Amino acid sequence: MHDHKNIIKLLKTAQGQVESVIKMTEDDRYCLDISTQINASIALLKKAQKELLVNHLNTCVLDSINAGSSEEKIEEIIVLLKKLL
């Protein structure tokens, strides 16, 4: 099992941020303040995603390269990059 403590921390922070955005919207707070909080949530999710992908490359992909079976993992990364870009 991989150590995802920091990723979980980022995701839980983003979860709290989203809950705050919901509350702000329910309370009819100023739209630009809500938008700022949405952007903060997005930034946290992107940071978690980047860290997760770096971990994946450094563990799963590296392991498959060392085992001589990297084609599948490389193809997975290519598919993901096509979705992200």
Side-chain angles (χ1 to χ4, degrees):
M1 173 124 183
H2 302 291
D3 183 13
H4 294 293
K5 289 178 190 169
N6 194 47
I7 295 166
I8 291 169
K9 180 181 174 187
L10 289 167
L11 291 172
K12 286 185 177 186
T13 302
Q15 179 182 23
Q17 198 81 24
V18 170
E19 289 169 359
S20 175
V21 168
I22 292 168
K23 178 85 169 100
M24 290 173 73
T25 305
E26 290 172 342
D27 293 345
D28 200 27
R29 297 272 301 273
Y30 187 56
C31 293
L32 295 183
D33 291 341
I34 296 169
S35 180
T36 298
Q37 294 306 311
I38 290 171
N39 281 333
S41 302
I42 291 168
L44 284 167
L45 290 171
K46 285 182 177 184
K47 186 173 181 179
Q49 183 178 40
K50 287 176 192 174
E51 188 164 327
L52 184 71
L53 292 175
V54 167
N55 288 348
H56 180 66
L57 290 170
N58 286 322
T59 57
C60 299
V61 175
L62 186 59
D63 290 346
S64 70
I65 290 169
N66 290 335
S69 60
S70 60
E71 296 82 15
E72 181 181 342
K73 295 294 181 194
I74 291 172
E75 183 58 32
E76 289 174 352
I77 296 296
I78 290 169
V79 169
L80 179 64
L81 289 173
K82 286 180 180 179
K83 290 178 185 177
L84 294 175
L85 302 176

